[in-house]
Amino acid sequence: RVLSHCRVYMSLVVAADATAGPKPFLAKLYQMVDEEETADIVGWTQAGDGLVVKDPEQFAQKLLPLHFKHSNFSSFVRQLNTYGFSKVDPDSWIFGHVHFRKGRYDDLRLIQRKSSHRPVTNKGGAAASSATNPPQPFDSAEASAQEAALRAEIQSLRTSHDNMSARIKSLSGELLATREQQQNTRHSITKIFSFLTQVYHAHSSQQGQQGLTPPGMPLSLPPPTDSSQGATLSGLQLPAEADPLGPGSGARPMKR
C-alpha cells in the first residue's frame, strides 16, 4: 500500500509540473539555442530536432556564464543527461530529446527531470525486489558524452593556461626593458650632473683668480726678451734697429 500511495503521489506531482510550465533550465536552454546572434556557437540542428554546440570553448566561456552562471561544460552535459537528453553523434556535440524541438516551446513542460530517489527498503533493510524496481541499464552514450565533455574542458583549460603563460612572458620582457631603460636614464643623469659640477668648479676657480688680480692688469706678463733681439714695451716688441737710443745709432740725448 505504501508503494502504491507513493506512485500516485509521484504521478500527481508529474502532472502538476507538466501543467505548470517548463523547468527554468529547459526554458533558458531553449532561449539560448533559439538566439540567432549566437548561432555560430550553439544552435538548432538542420532538422530542428536537437541542439548542436559548434564551438565548445566559446560556449563555455561566453554563453554558460551568461545563462547558467557557470562555465563548466561537463556540468552542462550532465544536466542535459539528467533531463533525458542523449548525445546523437559521438563525433560532435549534438544532443536530442523527443520533446525538445524548434518551434515547439510548449512541449518543454513534458520533459521531466530523472528521479534520483534511492530504492525503497523493507524493515530488514534489504532493497525491494528487482521485479518492482528493475536496475537501470548502463548508458554507454551518456558515459561517452561525459568523457568527451571532460576532454573538451581539459583542452579549454590547457588553452587558457598557454595564453596566460604567453601573457606572463610578454609582461616579463616589458618589465626587463623598462628596468634597462631606467638604468640608462640614471647613467645619463649621472654623467650630466658630473659635467655640470666640473663646469661649476672651473667657473668658481676663474672668478677667484680674477678677484686677486688688480683691475686693468693682465693675469700673466709676457716673458722678458734679449736686448739684441729687440725691446718689449707694454707688451709690444720693437726691433733693435728702430730704437733711437739704442747702441750704434750715433745719436746722443739732448740736454736741456
XYZ file of all heavy atoms in Angstrom, residues 160-244:
640
model
N 43.701 28.052 -22.112
C 43.758 29.219 -21.221
C 45.111 29.311 -20.525
O 45.675 30.403 -20.369
C 42.630 29.138 -20.184
O 41.368 29.091 -20.811
N 45.655 28.161 -20.121
C 46.973 28.158 -19.467
C 48.061 28.629 -20.422
O 48.957 29.406 -20.038
C 47.276 26.746 -18.960
C 48.613 26.613 -18.298
N 49.737 26.236 -18.988
C 49.007 26.833 -17.016
C 50.780 26.220 -18.168
N 50.352 26.577 -16.966
N 48.013 28.177 -21.676
C 49.017 28.608 -22.658
C 48.922 30.108 -22.912
O 49.951 30.803 -23.011
C 48.834 27.838 -23.964
C 49.144 26.354 -23.806
O 49.846 26.007 -22.827
O 48.683 25.551 -24.640
N 47.703 30.614 -23.026
C 47.535 32.054 -23.236
C 48.048 32.851 -22.044
O 48.696 33.900 -22.202
C 46.057 32.374 -23.487
C 45.542 31.776 -24.775
O 46.321 31.514 -25.697
N 44.253 31.553 -24.876
N 47.781 32.341 -20.836
C 48.256 33.033 -19.642
C 49.781 33.009 -19.567
O 50.417 34.006 -19.200
C 47.638 32.396 -18.403
C 47.900 33.154 -17.110
S 47.077 32.365 -15.705
C 45.358 32.510 -16.235
N 50.393 31.881 -19.925
C 51.852 31.787 -19.903
C 52.478 32.746 -20.901
O 53.485 33.409 -20.608
C 52.276 30.345 -20.205
O 51.770 29.448 -19.246
N 51.890 32.830 -22.098
C 52.413 33.766 -23.095
C 52.280 35.209 -22.620
O 53.172 36.042 -22.831
C 51.675 33.575 -24.424
N 51.178 35.519 -21.955
C 50.983 36.874 -21.440
C 52.001 37.207 -20.354
O 52.559 38.304 -20.318
C 49.563 37.005 -20.893
C 49.218 38.383 -20.318
C 49.402 39.467 -21.343
N 49.043 40.762 -20.823
C 49.331 41.920 -21.404
N 50.002 41.938 -22.554
N 48.963 43.055 -20.860
N 52.256 36.240 -19.453
C 53.245 36.456 -18.390
C 54.635 36.654 -18.991
O 55.406 37.517 -18.543
C 53.221 35.267 -17.417
C 51.902 35.255 -16.631
C 54.399 35.324 -16.453
C 51.736 34.043 -15.739
N 54.976 35.876 -20.009
C 56.270 36.026 -20.662
C 56.401 37.396 -21.316
O 57.456 38.048 -21.242
C 56.450 34.919 -21.706
C 57.813 34.904 -22.359
C 57.938 33.725 -23.313
C 59.313 33.696 -23.958
N 59.443 32.544 -24.896
N 55.343 37.861 -21.955
C 55.363 39.179 -22.579
C 55.534 40.286 -21.539
O 56.320 41.223 -21.714
C 54.078 39.404 -23.379
O 54.030 40.703 -23.914
N 54.806 40.165 -20.426
C 54.928 41.172 -19.369
C 56.321 41.159 -18.736
O 56.856 42.220 -18.384
C 53.862 40.924 -18.299
C 52.413 41.185 -18.716
C 51.452 40.798 -17.596
C 52.209 42.646 -19.097
N 56.925 39.985 -18.610
C 58.279 39.903 -18.061
C 59.278 40.607 -18.978
O 60.172 41.325 -18.510
C 58.674 38.435 -17.869
O 57.807 37.790 -16.968
N 59.129 40.416 -20.291
C 60.006 41.110 -21.230
C 59.843 42.622 -21.159
O 60.827 43.375 -21.201
N 58.593 43.076 -21.053
C 58.364 44.518 -20.937
C 58.959 45.072 -19.641
O 59.508 46.183 -19.612
C 56.856 44.800 -20.985
C 56.221 44.490 -22.337
C 54.720 44.741 -22.326
O 54.223 45.206 -21.277
O 54.062 44.478 -23.349
N 58.888 44.292 -18.568
C 59.456 44.746 -17.292
C 60.970 44.854 -17.376
O 61.560 45.833 -16.896
C 59.051 43.766 -16.186
C 59.583 44.080 -14.780
C 59.080 45.439 -14.312
C 59.149 42.995 -13.802
N 61.632 43.883 -17.995
C 63.087 43.944 -18.144
C 63.497 45.128 -19.012
O 64.485 45.814 -18.715
C 63.595 42.630 -18.757
C 63.495 41.385 -17.870
C 63.965 40.149 -18.631
C 64.317 41.561 -16.602
N 62.756 45.383 -20.097
C 63.072 46.530 -20.957
C 62.908 47.842 -20.196
O 63.709 48.777 -20.348
C 62.179 46.510 -22.190
N 61.864 47.926 -19.369
C 61.649 49.143 -18.577
C 62.772 49.353 -17.567
O 63.259 50.475 -17.380
C 60.291 49.057 -17.850
O 59.253 48.859 -18.811
C 60.018 50.333 -17.075
N 63.216 48.286 -16.928
C 64.318 48.404 -15.977
C 65.608 48.834 -16.662
O 66.358 49.674 -16.152
C 64.526 47.070 -15.263
C 63.427 46.720 -14.254
C 63.709 45.397 -13.576
N 62.699 45.087 -12.563
C 62.676 43.952 -11.877
N 63.604 43.021 -12.078
N 61.724 43.735 -10.969
N 65.882 48.273 -17.841
C 67.084 48.667 -18.578
C 67.018 50.134 -18.996
O 68.013 50.868 -18.934
C 67.245 47.763 -19.803
C 68.518 48.025 -20.590
C 68.669 47.065 -21.756
O 67.790 46.190 -21.917
O 69.658 47.195 -22.493
N 65.836 50.566 -19.419
C 65.682 51.966 -19.795
C 65.885 52.885 -18.598
O 66.526 53.938 -18.706
C 64.289 52.178 -20.399
C 64.051 53.595 -20.924
C 62.678 53.730 -21.541
O 61.895 52.799 -21.515
N 62.397 54.891 -22.085
N 65.372 52.506 -17.430
C 65.587 53.309 -16.227
C 67.068 53.373 -15.848
O 67.575 54.423 -15.455
C 64.773 52.728 -15.073
C 63.270 52.938 -15.206
C 62.508 52.345 -14.030
O 63.085 51.655 -13.200
N 61.213 52.612 -13.977
N 67.783 52.250 -15.995
C 69.204 52.237 -15.678
C 69.981 53.152 -16.621
O 70.882 53.888 -16.190
C 69.729 50.803 -15.767
C 71.175 50.643 -15.299
C 71.607 49.194 -15.300
O 70.834 48.321 -15.675
N 72.832 48.935 -14.886
N 69.663 53.118 -17.917
C 70.328 54.008 -18.870
C 70.027 55.472 -18.560
O 70.906 56.340 -18.668
C 69.877 53.668 -20.287
C 70.340 52.300 -20.723
O 71.329 51.774 -20.203
N 69.645 51.695 -21.667
N 68.798 55.750 -18.154
C 68.431 57.126 -17.810
C 69.209 57.607 -16.587
O 69.709 58.744 -16.561
C 66.923 57.210 -17.549
O 66.213 56.748 -18.704
C 66.508 58.646 -17.252
N 69.343 56.760 -15.584
C 70.115 57.132 -14.402
C 71.572 57.364 -14.751
O 72.208 58.307 -14.241
C 69.997 56.036 -13.348
C 68.618 55.939 -12.716
C 68.565 54.802 -11.711
N 67.244 54.684 -11.093
C 66.904 53.727 -10.239
N 67.796 52.811 -9.898
N 65.679 53.698 -9.728
N 72.142 56.533 -15.628
C 73.536 56.713 -16.046
C 73.721 58.037 -16.766
O 74.708 58.760 -16.533
C 73.948 55.546 -16.936
C 75.397 55.540 -17.305
N 76.411 55.395 -16.374
C 76.003 55.674 -18.518
C 77.582 55.444 -16.989
N 77.357 55.599 -18.291
N 72.773 58.374 -17.631
C 72.863 59.651 -18.356
C 72.748 60.832 -17.392
O 73.476 61.831 -17.514
C 71.766 59.725 -19.416
O 71.886 58.674 -20.341
N 71.848 60.724 -16.421
C 71.691 61.810 -15.442
C 72.969 61.972 -14.624
O 73.402 63.100 -14.334
C 70.478 61.518 -14.539
C 69.182 61.628 -15.344
C 70.436 62.485 -13.354
C 67.944 61.247 -14.568
N 73.629 60.870 -14.270
C 74.884 60.942 -13.523
C 75.968 61.633 -14.342
O 76.729 62.463 -13.826
C 75.335 59.528 -13.133
O 74.302 58.898 -12.371
C 76.611 59.558 -12.315
N 76.057 61.333 -15.615
C 77.042 61.990 -16.492
C 76.780 63.483 -16.586
O 77.697 64.312 -16.496
C 76.996 61.364 -17.890
C 77.752 60.060 -17.997
C 77.785 59.624 -19.454
C 78.693 58.431 -19.623
N 78.789 58.033 -21.061
N 75.512 63.845 -16.768
C 75.179 65.272 -16.889
C 75.489 65.998 -15.583
O 76.050 67.106 -15.590
C 73.689 65.423 -17.268
C 73.442 64.873 -18.675
C 73.258 66.875 -17.187
C 71.985 64.828 -19.057
N 75.179 65.413 -14.464
C 75.458 66.044 -13.170
C 76.960 66.203 -12.958
O 77.428 67.232 -12.458
C 74.850 65.195 -12.061
C 75.009 65.781 -10.690
C 74.217 66.850 -10.275
C 75.973 65.296 -9.815
C 74.368 67.392 -9.017
C 76.125 65.837 -8.561
C 75.331 66.890 -8.150
N 77.765 65.207 -13.340
C 79.219 65.307 -13.206
C 79.777 66.417 -14.085
O 80.654 67.191 -13.667
C 79.859 63.971 -13.572
O 81.266 64.048 -13.507
N 79.263 66.526 -15.311
C 79.731 67.584 -16.204
C 79.380 68.966 -15.666
O 80.212 69.893 -15.667
C 79.102 67.385 -17.590
C 79.387 68.503 -18.548
C 80.636 68.660 -19.131
C 78.387 69.424 -18.870
C 80.888 69.702 -20.010
C 78.642 70.459 -19.735
C 79.895 70.603 -20.321
N 78.176 69.123 -15.168
C 77.785 70.421 -14.603
C 78.613 70.760 -13.366
O 78.953 71.928 -13.128
C 76.296 70.401 -14.250
C 75.323 70.293 -15.438
C 73.895 70.207 -14.937
C 75.481 71.506 -16.357
N 78.992 69.764 -12.581
C 79.835 70.005 -11.412
C 81.214 70.495 -11.820
O 81.772 71.436 -11.227
C 79.950 68.714 -10.586
O 78.642 68.283 -10.209
C 80.775 68.934 -9.334
N 81.793 69.900 -12.857
C 83.098 70.349 -13.350
C 83.035 71.779 -13.881
O 83.931 72.595 -13.629
C 83.593 69.393 -14.434
C 83.918 67.999 -13.932
C 84.339 67.072 -15.044
O 84.442 67.500 -16.196
N 84.582 65.803 -14.710
N 81.985 72.078 -14.604
C 81.840 73.444 -15.128
C 81.712 74.446 -13.995
O 82.301 75.536 -14.002
C 80.624 73.524 -16.076
C 80.318 74.961 -16.451
C 80.878 72.694 -17.317
N 80.962 74.069 -12.963
C 80.771 74.975 -11.828
C 82.093 75.235 -11.106
O 82.431 76.376 -10.780
C 79.743 74.370 -10.877
C 79.589 75.148 -9.576
C 78.883 76.349 -9.540
C 80.171 74.670 -8.412
C 78.758 77.057 -8.363
C 80.040 75.370 -7.221
C 79.332 76.560 -7.197
O 79.214 77.262 -6.033
N 82.885 74.199 -10.852
C 84.159 74.368 -10.161
C 85.140 75.184 -11.005
O 85.893 76.028 -10.477
C 84.757 73.007 -9.818
C 84.047 72.314 -8.693
N 83.880 72.889 -7.453
C 83.451 71.086 -8.612
C 83.231 72.070 -6.649
N 82.945 70.948 -7.346
N 85.166 74.953 -12.315
C 86.049 75.733 -13.186
C 85.659 77.203 -13.180
O 86.511 78.107 -13.125
C 86.009 75.161 -14.603
N 84.384 77.481 -13.215
C 83.917 78.872 -13.200
C 84.235 79.540 -11.857
O 84.671 80.688 -11.809
C 82.412 78.899 -13.460
C 81.828 80.290 -13.515
N 82.132 81.178 -14.531
C 80.981 80.933 -12.674
C 81.487 82.317 -14.310
N 80.781 82.190 -13.189
N 84.077 78.814 -10.756
C 84.391 79.374 -9.439
C 85.884 79.658 -9.318
O 86.306 80.679 -8.771
C 83.946 78.407 -8.351
O 82.555 78.187 -8.417
N 86.728 78.758 -9.831
C 88.169 78.970 -9.782
C 88.584 80.185 -10.600
O 89.425 80.986 -10.194
C 88.884 77.717 -10.284
O 90.275 77.915 -10.311
N 87.978 80.369 -11.759
C 88.304 81.520 -12.611
C 87.891 82.816 -11.938
O 88.615 83.813 -11.974
C 87.620 81.374 -13.968
C 88.002 82.475 -14.955
C 87.338 82.261 -16.303
O 86.587 81.328 -16.462
N 87.664 83.120 -17.241
N 86.755 82.839 -11.292
C 86.324 84.040 -10.581
C 87.261 84.368 -9.423
O 87.543 85.519 -9.128
C 84.895 83.857 -10.070
C 83.836 83.965 -11.152
C 82.438 83.904 -10.585
O 82.262 83.535 -9.427
N 81.470 84.271 -11.403
N 87.820 83.340 -8.730
C 88.758 83.574 -7.643
C 90.049 84.190 -8.117
O 90.607 85.101 -7.492
N 90.556 83.760 -9.260
C 91.772 84.344 -9.822
C 91.548 85.792 -10.255
O 92.398 86.660 -10.063
C 92.250 83.514 -11.014
C 92.766 82.135 -10.604
C 93.216 81.334 -11.806
O 93.193 81.842 -12.928
N 93.643 80.103 -11.556
N 90.443 86.092 -10.823
C 90.158 87.472 -11.223
C 90.032 88.386 -10.009
O 90.384 89.561 -10.057
C 88.870 87.510 -12.054
C 89.029 86.875 -13.427
C 87.741 86.907 -14.222
O 86.710 87.360 -13.711
N 87.807 86.438 -15.454
N 89.600 87.861 -8.866
C 89.468 88.677 -7.663
C 90.822 89.034 -7.065
O 90.987 90.071 -6.424
N 91.903 88.227 -7.269
C 93.236 88.511 -6.747
C 94.061 89.391 -7.670
O 95.112 89.912 -7.275
C 93.980 87.198 -6.500
C 93.350 86.276 -5.429
C 94.104 84.966 -5.363
C 93.329 86.973 -4.083
N 93.706 89.619 -8.884
C 94.460 90.416 -9.861
C 93.922 91.840 -9.877
O 92.711 92.041 -9.922
C 94.328 89.804 -11.255
O 94.730 88.448 -11.181
C 95.187 90.554 -12.253
N 94.847 92.886 -9.794
C 94.373 94.285 -9.834
C 93.645 94.554 -11.129
O 93.934 93.948 -12.168
C 95.649 95.117 -9.726
C 96.650 94.184 -9.124
C 96.308 92.832 -9.604
N 92.718 95.494 -11.061
C 91.973 95.823 -12.291
C 92.892 96.408 -13.345
O 93.790 97.187 -13.050
C 90.951 96.859 -11.818
C 90.875 96.696 -10.335
C 92.219 96.208 -9.888
N 92.694 96.075 -14.573
C 93.447 96.607 -15.696
C 94.768 95.921 -15.922
O 95.505 96.298 -16.837
N 95.121 94.932 -15.132
C 96.402 94.255 -15.283
C 96.146 92.834 -15.749
O 95.282 92.147 -15.217
C 97.161 94.240 -13.959
C 98.616 93.832 -14.109
S 99.544 94.172 -12.611
C 101.182 93.681 -13.174
N 96.942 92.430 -16.749
C 96.720 91.067 -17.238
C 97.092 90.041 -16.204
O 97.855 90.307 -15.277
C 97.607 90.989 -18.483
C 98.669 91.995 -18.250
C 97.999 93.128 -17.489
N 96.483 88.829 -16.368
C 96.741 87.770 -15.415
C 98.168 87.268 -15.482
O 98.745 86.861 -14.487
C 95.769 86.603 -15.661
C 94.282 86.913 -15.420
C 93.439 85.713 -15.796
C 94.050 87.334 -13.981
N 98.849 87.372 -16.656
C 100.235 86.908 -16.826
C 100.984 87.889 -17.698
O 100.433 88.415 -18.658
C 100.251 85.507 -17.430
O 99.628 85.519 -18.700
N 102.231 88.179 -17.327
C 103.075 89.089 -18.090
C 103.835 88.329 -19.148
O 104.200 87.166 -18.949
C 104.057 89.799 -17.159
C 103.413 90.690 -16.087
C 104.488 91.248 -15.177
C 102.634 91.813 -16.724
N 104.153 89.009 -20.262
C 104.935 88.326 -21.304
C 106.357 88.117 -20.826
O 106.880 88.897 -20.040
C 104.838 89.268 -22.500
C 104.463 90.582 -21.948
C 103.700 90.339 -20.710
N 107.010 87.069 -21.220
C 108.383 86.781 -20.779
C 109.364 87.832 -21.294
O 109.157 88.430 -22.339
C 108.637 85.396 -21.357
C 107.733 85.298 -22.536
C 106.524 86.091 -22.180
N 110.459 88.113 -20.520
C 111.466 89.105 -20.989
C 112.186 88.601 -22.221
O 112.351 87.400 -22.418
C 112.396 89.231 -19.778
C 112.235 87.935 -19.039
C 110.828 87.520 -19.232
N 112.630 89.551 -23.040
C 113.327 89.221 -24.285
C 114.739 89.785 -24.245
O 115.063 90.701 -23.472
C 112.579 89.805 -25.490
O 112.454 91.204 -25.325
C 111.171 89.209 -25.569
N 115.616 89.248 -25.039
C 117.011 89.697 -25.153
C 117.070 91.028 -25.866
O 116.356 91.254 -26.841
C 117.814 88.638 -25.902
C 119.306 88.910 -25.810
O 119.660 89.878 -25.136
O 120.053 88.107 -26.410
N 117.964 91.981 -25.370
C 118.062 93.320 -25.965
C 118.608 93.265 -27.372
O 118.382 94.179 -28.167
C 118.949 94.227 -25.098
O 120.262 93.646 -25.000
N 119.340 92.197 -27.662
C 119.884 92.091 -29.016
C 118.813 91.783 -30.028
O 118.968 92.033 -31.210
C 120.975 91.010 -29.066
O 120.393 89.764 -28.702
N 117.774 91.229 -29.547
C 116.691 90.879 -30.479
C 115.625 91.942 -30.511
O 114.775 91.938 -31.375
C 116.054 89.552 -30.066
C 117.028 88.379 -30.174
C 116.386 87.105 -29.741
O 115.268 87.122 -29.296
N 117.131 86.013 -29.862
N 115.609 92.840 -29.524
C 114.613 93.899 -29.534
C 114.153 94.185 -28.136
O 114.478 93.488 -27.194
N 113.412 95.261 -27.930
C 112.886 95.671 -26.628
C 111.395 95.485 -26.611
O 110.728 95.615 -27.636
C 113.253 97.152 -26.363
N 110.901 95.199 -25.412
C 109.467 94.992 -25.233
C 108.915 96.171 -24.483
O 109.420 96.521 -23.418
C 109.199 93.715 -24.445
O 109.773 92.615 -25.148
C 107.723 93.479 -24.292
N 107.888 96.758 -25.000
C 107.276 97.933 -24.390
C 105.775 97.725 -24.365
O 105.136 97.674 -25.429
C 107.636 99.210 -25.156
C 107.060 100.512 -24.586
C 107.610 100.748 -23.173
C 107.389 101.679 -25.506
N 105.292 97.622 -23.112
C 103.837 97.454 -22.923
C 103.295 96.300 -23.731
O 102.237 96.379 -24.344
C 103.078 98.751 -23.276
O 103.522 99.802 -22.449
N 104.090 95.229 -23.766
C 103.606 94.040 -24.469
C 103.857 94.088 -25.942
O 103.544 93.139 -26.635
N 104.511 95.201 -26.513
C 104.805 95.315 -27.944
C 106.300 95.178 -28.130
O 107.086 95.852 -27.446
C 104.326 96.648 -28.499
C 102.812 96.887 -28.417
C 102.480 98.295 -28.929
C 102.071 95.852 -29.234
N 106.742 94.364 -29.013
C 108.157 94.129 -29.250
C 108.623 94.983 -30.426
O 108.033 94.939 -31.486
C 108.396 92.631 -29.518
C 109.855 92.271 -29.647
C 110.059 90.793 -29.806
O 109.087 90.070 -29.807
N 111.303 90.383 -29.927
N 109.701 95.782 -30.182
C 110.266 96.654 -31.215
C 111.606 96.100 -31.638
O 112.387 95.642 -30.785
C 110.446 98.081 -30.686
C 109.143 98.786 -30.240
C 109.487 100.143 -29.659
C 108.178 98.925 -31.391
N 111.971 96.179 -32.851
C 113.297 95.719 -33.288
C 114.377 96.661 -32.786
O 114.137 97.837 -32.546
C 113.179 95.691 -34.804
C 112.045 96.584 -35.130
C 111.110 96.547 -33.982
N 115.585 96.141 -32.607
C 116.697 96.953 -32.077
C 117.110 98.061 -33.019
O 117.572 99.124 -32.588
C 117.902 96.047 -31.782
N 116.993 97.900 -34.332
C 117.401 98.943 -35.286
C 116.503 100.163 -35.181
O 116.923 101.278 -35.470
C 117.356 98.403 -36.717
C 118.294 97.223 -36.996
C 117.725 95.943 -36.464
O 116.476 95.857 -36.442
O 118.466 95.052 -36.045
N 115.258 99.930 -34.734
C 114.331 101.065 -34.677
C 114.423 101.821 -33.385
O 113.750 102.834 -33.223
C 112.906 100.574 -34.906
N 115.235 101.364 -32.442
C 115.336 102.056 -31.164
C 116.205 103.286 -31.336
O 117.408 103.185 -31.667
C 115.926 101.119 -30.114
C 115.892 101.719 -28.713
O 115.389 102.849 -28.592
O 116.339 101.042 -27.780
N 115.731 104.543 -31.150
C 116.547 105.749 -31.394
C 117.647 105.914 -30.369
O 118.633 106.593 -30.611
C 115.533 106.898 -31.287
C 114.426 106.336 -30.470
C 114.382 104.890 -30.751
